Amino acid sequence: MKRILSMFLLGVSLLALVGCGGNAMKTTAGHLNLAIWWFGETLDPAHAWDSWTLTRIGAGETLVAVNEHMEFIPQLADKWENVDPVTWRFHIRQGVKFQNGDPMTPELVKASIERSMNENERAKKIARIKEMRVEGEDLVFVTTTPYASFVSSLSDPVFIIVNTQADLSKVASTPVLTGPYAITGWTKGVEIQLKRNEHYWDGTPGLETVTVKNVEDDVSRAMALQSGEFDLIQRLSAANRSLFENNANYGIYETTGVRVQMLTTNEEGVLGDKNLRTALAYLFDSEALAEVYGNAVAAGEPFPPSIPYGHPGEKITHDPAKADAAFAAAGYTKNAQGMYEKNGQPLTLKFATWGDKTTLYEAIESQLREGGVDVKMIHVQEPDKVDSVGGFDLLEEDWAVAATNDPYSWLRGMFYSDSTSNRGHYKSAAFDAILDEMATAMDPARKDELVKAAARQLIEDQPTLFLTVPMTILAGKSNVKNVKIFPLDYYLLTKDVTVE
């Protein structure tokens, strides 16, 4: 129904546009009209999550970045090394200039990072920096504890390097950064204007100017792309996809993102029985759920296909026979109505939701009922409020499982025994031991082995049922060239994009 409504609204909008002649902007070579789905409150990289806008529009850069293959790559630092368990040395790239022509020095990089930590509590928390010092062309960091995720933390957009020698009274509207495009104008919540950074360190950017607009509604973005108002848009709903598929005038760029839609099981209730959790995992048809949601693929394991680590070679797929066997192992049998019960008591699960994915929730409820499990649906304002409605058996969760290309913070936050975000009360000494070693595993190969071991433990224990992985999608006109699609959706516009 949601998809039908979206298509209806889109059709009405397009007819209205045609009827009034439209207000399409003619494509201009060298200029990109870009629509994204969210603007931060400001353009200050140290404010809240506003830095995500700056990386999306090609304005801001960090010491380390993550490419389209989910690999760390040098950006404003051209190399780095782990000196000892708490010391890291980053060589600051030479010859880089800020967008106003000022040289980027190690001292200014240090000042920018210090500013981020002073202005943003999250930055301070994720970096765990005890001390910073400049040694020639190097910036040396000492962390509070051995911290294997340190490189990842510096790739977070909150650590975009800003020129602190520039007029910081204008940092919220026109920050002076290092990216291929410099901000020339900003209307809060509406529009950002950019021009080519003539001082850019990594070659000549492909565009002369860029206009970025904030268009939150999926239908409106699609309509504006089709009308010619935009050359490239971020996010494309399943309902609007058919407008651009198999059309030589447009291109669709997509990959699986780093977010997974999942159901947390409450192990302090009836789902404390591992056999019952396993039965539910095999009962769900994630392929069908992905089709219902649209622009998604089945999960069946903790990490999406776009992530090159954490795949133990085991994956849960829909298997009614295995589900029946696991229900039997948990002591459940089907009654005359085809519903599971134990000792004469029917199996009824409270399914708590907090988002707006109504069609997906209905599909999950339907699969449970068709599989013999009764469901009581409850809705809460947010996951942390679920206790106020009497708790849950299954809780909707939606997590970025490898934000900044590192799964440790998600694994630690959601599943570690004493974590306050461990809403399902999962407790596993084996899993905790894996995470304890992962926290200080400086060798990348060893860390990858530990991530795989953690994934294998989660698949075995099923504290969470991993259902679907939404796609990260861009759509654009065919004359927009060299577009890259990144699993991390805070990357979008690169120096290589051109408009012919």
Side-chain angles (χ1 to χ4, degrees):
M1 179 60 70
K2 185 177 180 182
R3 185 178 303 180
I4 293 171
L5 179 61
S6 296
M7 287 299 293
F8 173 75
L9 292 173
L10 180 62
V12 170
S13 301
L14 287 173
L15 286 172
L17 183 67
V18 172
C20 68
N23 61 347
M25 295 185 290
K26 183 179 179 181
T27 295
T28 303
H31 178 80
L32 179 73
N33 291 301
L34 170 66
I36 63 178
W37 68 274
W38 176 83
F39 273 14
E41 183 180 351
T42 75
L43 296 181
D44 182 349
H47 181 265
W49 297 84
D50 297 356
S51 55
W52 285 37
T53 302
L54 297 170
T55 47
R56 282 179 178 141
I57 65 176
E61 297 177 316
T62 48
L63 294 185
V64 182
V66 181
N67 67 14
E68 66 271 30
H69 306 297
M70 293 296 286
E71 300 165 333
F72 290 115
I73 56 171
Q75 199 165 63
L76 297 180
D78 53 16
K79 60 182 177 180
W80 57 86
E81 63 174 326
N82 177 226
V83 178
D84 61 45
V86 296
T87 307
W88 296 80
R89 180 181 296 274
F90 284 71
H91 182 259
I92 304 305
R93 189 181 294 277
Q94 299 300 290
V96 176
K97 292 183 178 181
F98 287 103
Q99 292 157 346
N100 65 352
D102 289 350
M104 185 194 74
T105 64
E107 289 79 8
L108 286 175
V109 172
K110 177 175 179 287
S112 178
I113 293 173
E114 288 173 336
R115 179 178 182 275
S116 290
M117 292 192 297
N118 289 334
E119 298 285 333
N120 191 308
E121 188 62 31
R122 181 176 66 86
K124 185 176 181 180
K125 180 179 179 180
I126 65 174
R128 304 186 191 180
I129 295 172
K130 178 181 179 181
E131 174 191 347
M132 273 189 290
R133 62 180 183 270
V134 174
E135 294 184 359
E137 297 178 352
D138 294 341
L139 187 55
V140 177
F141 299 87
V142 179
T143 57
T144 55
T145 59
Y147 184 33
S149 299
F150 183 67
V151 172
S152 166
S153 72
L154 290 186
S155 76
D156 191 300
V158 74
F159 288 115
I160 284 173
I161 303 304
V162 61
N163 187 352
T164 57
Q165 286 187 154
D167 184 358
L168 289 180
S169 68
K170 299 179 180 178
V171 72
S173 58
T174 51
V176 179
L177 310 171
T178 65
Y181 298 102
I183 298 164
T184 59
W186 173 68
T187 303
K188 183 176 180 179
V190 178
E191 181 176 298
I192 304 169
Q193 295 286 343
L194 304 101
K195 68 176 183 179
R196 177 184 288 156
N197 175 10
E198 301 295 345
H199 306 286
Y200 191 53
W201 60 272
D202 194 22
T204 303
L207 300 166
E208 296 175 10
T209 52
V210 181
T211 299
V212 185
K213 292 191 176 182
N214 180 30
V215 184
E216 297 180 1
D217 179 65
D218 290 347
V219 172
S220 298
R221 280 196 311 279
M223 178 186 72
L225 174 61
Q226 192 177 55
S227 73
E229 182 178 354
F230 294 116
D231 304 305
L232 187 67
I233 64 171
Q234 184 186 35
R235 288 196 174 184
L236 182 67
S237 73
N240 303 329
R241 187 183 183 106
S242 61
L243 294 172
F244 309 107
E245 269 187 324
N246 304 315
N247 187 329
N249 294 319
Y250 299 98
I252 295 177
Y253 312 89
E254 61 185 331
T255 185
T256 50
V258 299
R259 190 168 290 278
V260 178
Q261 295 167 337
M262 55 190 86
L263 299 179
T264 288
T265 64
N266 185 359
E267 297 193 19
E268 290 192 342
V270 65
L271 293 180
D273 187 330
K274 177 180 170 180
N275 288 314
L276 192 51
R277 300 195 302 271
T278 301
L280 294 178
Y282 284 116
L283 184 152
F284 282 118
D285 184 348
S286 292
E287 296 281 355
L289 294 176
E291 185 174 348
V292 166
Y293 185 74
N295 288 340
V297 299
E301 60 178 337
F303 297 105
S306 57
I307 296 177
Y309 45 78
H311 303 286
E314 305 159 20
K315 191 173 181 178
I316 299 293
T317 57
H318 179 52
D319 192 325
K322 288 184 178 179
D324 287 343
F327 276 120
Y332 286 86
T333 58
K334 284 187 175 179
N335 59 24
Q337 289 74 42
M339 305 300 287
Y340 278 107
E341 61 178 33
K342 183 178 182 178
N343 299 325
Q345 296 298 313
L347 175 59
T348 301
L349 300 180
K350 289 193 291 185
F351 175 23
T353 66
W354 51 269
D356 59 359
K357 310 177 187 73
T358 305
T359 306
L360 181 62
Y361 306 150
E362 290 173 349
I364 291 171
E365 180 185 10
S366 176
Q367 288 194 7
L368 285 167
R369 291 188 189 280
E370 290 175 4
V373 179
D374 196 14
V375 185
K376 179 182 179 181
M377 301 292 292
I378 55 176
H379 191 79
V380 294
Q381 293 299 313
E382 55 187 75
D384 290 336
K385 303 294 186 182
V386 72
D387 287 340
S388 66
V389 294
F392 69 95
D393 295 304
L394 296 171
L395 173 66
E396 171 197 4
E397 300 261 29
D398 189 337
W399 286 75
V401 301
T404 64
N405 197 28
D406 192 309
Y408 174 76
S409 61
W410 169 65
L411 292 169
R412 179 69 169 77
M414 189 167 180
F415 299 111
Y416 200 81
S417 293
D418 65 359
S419 171
T420 56
S421 298
N422 182 354
R423 301 184 183 99
H425 310 288
Y426 171 60
K427 298 187 185 303
S428 166
F431 182 85
D432 289 354
I434 293 168
L435 265 289
D436 289 341
E437 184 179 353
M438 191 186 300
T440 60
M442 304 300 177
D443 176 32
R446 178 56 183 160
K447 186 170 182 177
D448 284 353
E449 291 176 2
L450 291 167
V451 174
K452 187 181 293 186
R456 184 180 295 111
Q457 192 69 51
L458 294 178
I459 291 171
E460 178 181 336
D461 293 344
Q462 290 297 321
T464 292
L465 311 176
F466 303 102
L467 300 181
T468 61
V469 180
M471 306 295 288
T472 296
I473 301 181
L474 303 176
K477 297 177 182 176
S478 59
N479 65 325
V480 180
K481 306 295 184 182
N482 306 317
V483 175
K484 287 183 178 178
I485 186 71
F486 295 84
L488 290 169
D489 77 348
Y490 52 72
Y491 295 117
L492 196 163
L493 183 59
T494 71
K495 70 178 182 67
D496 298 317
V497 171
T498 61
V499 175
E500 297 179 352

